[in-house]
Amino acid sequence: MYPVFKMTENKHSIFSGKTEDEICTMIRNDHTLFLQVPVKSENICVAAILEDPENIIYIKNPCEKIQLAVVLQIPEYIQYIKNPTESVKRKAVYKSYTVSYRDWE
């Protein structure tokens, strides 16, 4: 599903010569860099989602781990996930219910 992380060398890129962990750190510091990453591995996607769940709109076919990371933060963002898994749908409903129920107490 996700490519094996191997960055092609582009001397003009801010990601040139960086490892996957270094790119994840860069994204944690500035989540807007996610859009500029040429090769988005699962770890890079997770780092971007944890910083801003709305980044899910830039991931075409997210794995279940990424889908869950989104709905656990903001259940309503399931609408941005193309073909969510059944367990992600259930988690989004459950999470929405518990958030709404707590608001009523």
Side-chain angles (χ1 to χ4, degrees), residues 35-77:
L35 295 177
Q36 300 173 22
V37 178
V39 179
K40 295 174 174 74
S41 69
E42 181 176 291
N43 290 336
I44 291 172
C45 291
V46 169
I49 293 299
L50 292 177
E51 291 306 310
D52 183 7
E54 197 168 324
N55 281 324
I56 192 65
I57 62 176
Y58 304 112
I59 304 171
K60 290 183 182 179
N61 293 310
C63 66
E64 187 173 52
K65 178 180 177 181
I66 293 172
Q67 293 177 21
L68 283 171
V70 171
V71 298
L72 288 175
Q73 293 180 70
I74 304 175
E76 293 80 14
Y77 280 11

Side-chain angles (χ1 to χ4, degrees), residues 2-101:
Y2 294 92
V4 174
F5 187 77
K6 182 177 180 186
M7 184 67 71
T8 54
E9 193 62 30
N10 178 352
K11 297 186 187 307
H12 302 291
S13 172
I14 60 172
F15 305 108
S16 178
K18 302 280 193 245
T19 66
E20 183 179 28
D21 290 335
E22 291 171 328
I23 293 173
C24 287
T25 301
M26 292 170 72
I27 290 172
R28 284 184 201 102
N29 292 332
D30 181 5
H31 71 88
T32 60
L33 293 175
F34 178 65
L35 295 177
Q36 300 173 22
V37 178
V39 179
K40 295 174 174 74
S41 69
E42 181 176 291
N43 290 336
I44 291 172
C45 291
V46 169
I49 293 299
L50 292 177
E51 291 306 310
D52 183 7
E54 197 168 324
N55 281 324
I56 192 65
I57 62 176
Y58 304 112
I59 304 171
K60 290 183 182 179
N61 293 310
C63 66
E64 187 173 52
K65 178 180 177 181
I66 293 172
Q67 293 177 21
L68 283 171
V70 171
V71 298
L72 288 175
Q73 293 180 70
I74 304 175
E76 293 80 14
Y77 280 11
I78 194 169
Q79 65 186 327
Y80 300 126
I81 300 172
K82 184 178 180 181
N83 300 322
T85 65
E86 289 301 316
S87 62
V88 170
K89 290 176 187 176
R90 283 192 299 270
K91 184 61 80 172
V93 169
Y94 173 77
K95 187 76 172 160
S96 292
Y97 173 75
T98 57
V99 169
S100 299
Y101 181 74

